[in-house]
Amino acid sequence: MDPQTPARTPTPRYFTWDEVAQRSGRENERWLVIDRKVYNISEFTRRHPGGSRVISHYAGQDATDPFVAFHINKGLVRKYMNSLLIGELSPEQPSFEPTKNKELIYEFRELQATVERMGLMKANHVFFLLYLLHILLLDVAAWLTLWVFGTSFVPFLLCAVLLSTAQAQAGWLQHDFGHLSVFSTSTWNHLLHHFVIGHLKGAPASWWNHLHFQHHAKPNCFRKDPDINMHPFFFALGKILSVELGKQKKKYMPYNHQHKYFFLIGPPALLPLYFQWYIFYFVFQRKKWVDLAWMISFYARISLTYVPLLGLKGLLGLFFMVRFLESNWFVWVTQMNHIPMHIDHDRNMDWVSTQLQATCNVHKSAFNDWFSGHLNFQIEHHLFPVMPRHNYHKVAPLVQSLCAKHGIEYQSKPLFSAFADIVYSLKESGQLWLDAYLHQ
């Protein structure tokens, strides 16, 4: 080769949206688009730190906004993505699917830039330190109640209430670390996540990541959001899916009574009868030995502190009472923002529309903020999943303004209205199923 001849740069490969959409994982390959660049993630999904399913849910689609939303060190992540790059969209192709709302997408990205400039993505470490201390104080107060007042019924019950409160609040705090919302580096977030969910609660961080990131990627999307996996085997959820189930003449449960049996198999049972056992299956099946070690440290701690006071049987009774109380707290709070909302198959909508149709808020108050771990700001949390929770109320007016401009409903309601809407929506979808089952 003539030394004066410049080296040829490889000609970039260009693709259309139709070509990308065909690589959705239903066959062999999985592609996705980020900032007009096309990536082949077929082999990478198994190595994806956030889990294989969450990234696969965007196969065949534009993933620019979820990519920005989920990662705190985007520059570092992009370096690892270079090996997956196979081309880019053809110049005549739009930057995202033609079916999506162009103006809404661009204005939301402007809002993201504004949020960054306002410093709303930076955490107040004192807030989270005090939050952790209040959980530890509740934990200590529970043990001291038995140690000082004895193990009769009233101190036992008070101990269970204090421990349940500590467990529920630790659940909200692990959620912060799991979302990388507290520290600027993933390492510290992951370490504290293991401590809170593993040592303080006895659950595996990898299990939470596996389920929760999918929920955020595609909320209320059937077969992509594991939080609605109780459809159709236990409940008929959402108007569209319930009618679809009825037309197919499928009946796994008497869904027209689901608003009644929800009180039996929903809030009381999820943690003690399902999660408590499934987490051990998960860590052994996936060989998550680090998670198992953190979990063992939790069970060792409560055994060493409570067996001398209660004996083994007494500890088991206390443990399952705590899980029962915590389960009621957890289910009502986590379902009030989603079950009454739109539930459907994935329609590949833009990020804002996807999140807003699946989420609603509960009015701000000091109690509601504490009781729900600030998940009463579910809309803001879903739009900005790595934002520290103490900043949700600051960005809320900006989100409301964006929604009003584009005619998107921004729902916020009182706490008990939100609880009631769970039951009302189950009753409505159960009736829709019955009508379709009998008459369509």
Side-chain angles (χ1 to χ4, degrees):
M1 180 177 176
D2 188 339
Q4 295 183 346
T5 303
R8 295 180 181 177
T9 56
T11 304
R13 294 177 64 192
Y14 292 114
F15 303 100
T16 65
W17 277 113
D18 286 340
E19 291 175 297
V20 172
Q22 291 170 12
R23 274 72 172 190
S24 61
R26 295 186 182 91
E27 297 172 357
N28 294 323
E29 288 191 308
R30 293 185 177 95
W31 295 1
L32 55 73
V33 177
I34 298 175
D35 288 329
R36 297 190 60 85
K37 291 182 169 55
V38 181
Y39 299 89
N40 186 337
I41 60 168
S42 305
E43 299 298 325
F44 175 71
T45 54
R46 290 180 296 228
R47 307 193 309 273
H48 181 233
S52 62
R53 292 188 183 180
V54 63
I55 191 172
S56 297
H57 291 338
Y58 274 91
Q61 302 178 13
D62 177 62
T64 304
D65 289 321
F67 172 81
V68 172
F70 287 130
H71 298 93
I72 59 174
N73 192 339
K74 300 168 189 61
L76 178 64
V77 176
R78 288 181 191 278
K79 292 181 181 179
Y80 288 97
M81 291 165 54
N82 288 334
S83 62
L84 310 176
L85 182 65
I86 58 171
E88 57 189 75
L89 294 172
S90 300
E92 75 279 0
Q93 293 288 303
S95 296
F96 32 78
E97 296 92 325
T99 56
K100 294 182 177 177
N101 188 329
K102 177 180 177 180
E103 290 186 4
L104 178 58
I105 291 173
Y106 283 137
E107 290 193 30
F108 176 71
R109 291 177 184 177
E110 290 177 8
L111 176 58
Q112 282 181 314
T114 300
V115 164
E116 292 277 0
R117 288 195 300 270
M118 292 172 65
L120 297 184
M121 306 304 288
K122 295 180 181 178
N124 181 344
H125 293 159
V126 175
F127 171 89
F128 290 103
L129 175 61
L130 293 176
Y131 204 91
L132 174 60
L133 288 176
H134 114 280
I135 292 168
L136 298 177
L137 286 173
L138 286 167
D139 217 326
V140 172
W143 182 84
L144 285 175
T145 299
L146 295 181
W147 186 68
V148 173
F149 299 105
T151 58
S152 60
F153 177 74
V154 173
F156 183 88
L157 185 60
L158 179 58
C159 172
V161 170
L162 289 169
L163 267 182
S164 300
T165 305
Q167 285 293 295
Q169 293 297 325
W172 309 144
L173 184 59
Q174 69 81 22
H175 177 264
D176 298 309
F177 291 117
H179 272 293
L180 314 179
S181 298
V182 183
F183 297 104
S184 59
T185 62
S186 298
T187 303
W188 278 105
N189 282 301
H190 290 321
L191 178 61
L192 269 294
H193 190 212
H194 277 295
F195 171 75
V196 177
I197 195 173
H199 182 68
L200 295 186
K201 288 189 62 61
S206 58
W207 162 75
W208 183 89
N209 292 338
H210 169 72
L211 295 177
H212 197 67
F213 291 155
Q214 292 184 70
H215 162 69
H216 270 270
K218 293 289 184 179
N220 281 8
C221 291
F222 184 48
R223 301 197 185 283
K224 290 192 174 184
D225 179 0
D227 283 13
I228 59 169
N229 276 354
M230 59 274 205
H231 175 94
F233 296 111
F234 295 101
F235 299 98
L237 299 179
K239 298 176 183 178
I240 294 172
L241 297 184
S242 297
V243 171
E244 181 182 276
L245 199 63
K247 288 180 177 179
Q248 294 169 351
K249 308 304 177 186
K250 292 183 178 179
K251 180 183 179 182
Y252 300 100
M253 294 285 281
Y255 303 120
N256 50 311
H257 296 289
Q258 63 183 3
H259 60 292
K260 302 171 187 174
Y261 65 72
F262 170 76
F263 290 93
L264 296 176
I265 69 172
L270 183 63
L271 267 64
L273 297 184
Y274 178 59
F275 279 0
Q276 185 58 47
W277 312 109
Y278 181 75
I279 55 177
F280 283 97
Y281 168 78
F282 184 93
V283 294
F284 280 104
Q285 193 254 343
R286 296 178 180 244
K287 298 180 173 60
K288 300 293 184 179
W289 308 129
V290 173
D291 278 324
L292 181 61
W294 280 105
M295 293 166 66
I296 290 172
S297 75
F298 164 79
Y299 291 102
R301 175 172 61 85
I302 63 169
S303 297
L304 290 172
T305 51
Y306 282 98
V307 167
L309 297 176
L310 296 171
L312 182 58
K313 288 184 179 179
L315 172 59
L316 288 174
L318 176 65
F319 179 79
F320 282 103
M321 180 179 286
V322 167
R323 285 290 183 249
F324 168 79
L325 294 172
E326 181 195 0
S327 185
N328 281 274
W329 190 334
F330 173 80
V331 172
W332 284 107
V333 169
T334 56
Q335 300 310 304
M336 68 183 182
N337 306 106
H338 296 298
I339 291 297
M341 304 302 291
H342 184 74
I343 301 175
D344 196 357
H345 299 275
D346 180 18
R347 303 299 181 187
N348 189 17
M349 302 176 72
D350 58 82
W351 177 254
V352 176
S353 300
T354 296
Q355 304 303 330
L356 263 293
Q357 71 175 3
T359 56
C360 66
N361 281 5
V362 168
H363 296 339
K364 175 178 172 54
S365 72
F367 175 78
N368 288 352
D369 293 353
W370 174 83
F371 184 74
S372 67
H374 289 84
L375 294 181
N376 50 325
F377 287 96
Q378 195 71 216
I379 292 172
E380 288 71 26
H381 172 55
H382 267 256
L383 290 176
F384 307 100
V386 300
M387 177 182 285
R389 64 158 107 164
H390 52 71
N391 288 333
Y392 293 157
H393 72 282
K394 298 177 182 177
V395 75
L398 302 178
V399 174
Q400 291 174 34
S401 177
L402 179 69
C403 291
K405 181 176 180 180
H406 291 275
I408 299 173
E409 185 178 12
Y410 181 103
Q411 287 193 38
S412 185
K413 59 187 76 168
L415 180 64
F416 287 102
S417 295
F419 290 164
D421 283 348
I422 299 174
V423 182
Y424 293 147
S425 65
L426 288 174
K427 184 177 181 179
E428 181 184 25
S429 59
Q431 190 59 48
L432 288 170
W433 166 81
L434 182 62
D435 292 341
Y437 185 82
L438 295 177
H439 307 300
Q440 295 185 38

